[in-house]
Amino acid sequence: MYSIPNLKHTDSENYLLIAGPCVIENEDTPYKIAEHICQVSDELKIPFVFKASYKKANRSKVSSFTGIGDKKGLEVLANIRKQFQIPVVTDIHHPEEAMMAAQYVDILQIPAFLCRQTELLIAAAETDKIVNIKKGQFLSPNAMQHAAQKVFDSGNSKVMLTERGTTFGYHDLIVDMRSIPIMQEIQLPVILDITHSLQKPNQTTGVTGGQPEMIETIARAGIAVGADGIFVETHPEPQNAKSDGANMLKMNDLKSLLVNLARIKAVVNKLK
């Protein structure tokens, strides 16, 4: 794993945890979520990166919530980063966002639908931040080598890849666990997104559905096959979240999940 500023518990041999709400939806809730995850991750000695989008550019409806304003959202992320002394990651959607967002966060994330956008990948690479590229729902794991290569060719070798499911019909995704070792063959860390992998996209209501009851199943399988980390969106009240509430993990259920995954990770480490 790359050197990430303020990343704690790097000597624990535990998995990397990337977690937080889907989007900065106000100025208070993200702090509560960050505080809770910090407490749990410190107790379990899990390296933790806080995740939240400062805005959502890919929504089903024009009326869907997108954020509290770019600068305001980024400032919330920067304040969480400073207050809790933890690294932070956020999505970018256009090349011109890269340098702006890089002033506030430690990792830039490329959304799955945009993982082939050459100018976006180059712009992210040129910030010299770590770039986390989420695998498109329409791509094979082998194809991610080309997305990573665009970052490499731009002078940045700090790339992570994230599996988040593959389109299975119109309204479902499926996680092929073979994707994890296949992408690791590129010699890059591979993260498993355990909440977006359970989305039910393209619903006729215009609101994405999900199967949060399957989060632990997907997570256990991912750690067992050797994923370097997990990505999980969590919220105190998923039913009231302004984005992706249907597939989020309830915040109070996070600790029990992480405990079980740490046990599996310990076994995996012994088998290496």
Side-chain angles (χ1 to χ4, degrees), residues 13 20 47 50 81 86 96 106 126 147 155 208 228 231 262 272:
E13 296 189 344
F50 180 79
R81 181 191 193 196
I86 54 174
E96 57 268 25
D106 304 283
E126 289 177 344
T208 298
D228 297 289
F231 178 113
K272 286 182 178 178

Side-chain angles (χ1 to χ4, degrees), residues 15-168:
Y15 54 87
L16 177 69
L17 172 65
I18 301 177
C22 180
V23 64
I24 300 295
E25 58 185 41
N26 55 47
E27 294 190 56
D28 298 322
T29 304
Y31 289 96
K32 295 176 184 176
I33 296 172
E35 182 177 34
H36 179 80
I37 304 175
C38 280
Q39 290 172 351
V40 172
S41 60
D42 283 342
E43 180 183 343
L44 300 176
K45 297 190 176 351
I46 297 172
F48 165 51
V49 177
F50 180 79
K51 179 271 166 184
S53 298
Y54 71 93
K55 72 174 178 181
K56 298 296 292 184
N58 175 29
R59 302 307 309 274
S60 298
K61 297 179 177 180
V62 171
S63 59
S64 296
F65 180 81
T66 58
I68 60 174
D70 292 1
K71 190 170 188 298
K72 198 170 182 180
L74 286 167
E75 286 174 346
V76 170
L77 286 168
N79 289 337
I80 288 173
R81 181 191 193 196
K82 181 178 180 181
Q83 179 176 333
F84 297 102
Q85 288 296 291
I86 54 174
V88 170
V89 57
T90 198
D91 303 289
I92 57 171
H93 308 86
H94 301 283
E96 57 268 25
E97 294 178 40
M99 199 58 72
M100 175 183 70
Q103 298 175 53
Y104 298 86
V105 303
D106 304 283
I107 302 172
L108 296 176
Q109 183 164 279
I110 308 300
F113 283 125
L114 302 176
C115 69
R116 292 187 56 173
Q117 297 297 102
T118 301
E119 290 184 357
L120 180 61
L121 289 164
I122 291 172
E126 289 177 344
T127 67
D128 200 37
K129 295 288 183 176
I130 295 171
V131 182
N132 182 31
I133 312 174
K134 302 189 82 172
K135 182 179 79 65
Q137 301 91 323
F138 46 87
L139 285 181
S140 71
N142 306 85
M144 289 303 291
Q145 63 184 302
H146 304 300
Q149 192 64 48
K150 292 176 183 179
V151 179
F152 300 155
D153 289 346
S154 302
N156 187 337
S157 61
K158 297 174 290 188
V159 178
M160 300 192 301
L161 302 178
T162 294
E163 165 65 42
R164 54 96 74 231
T166 301
T167 299
F168 189 68

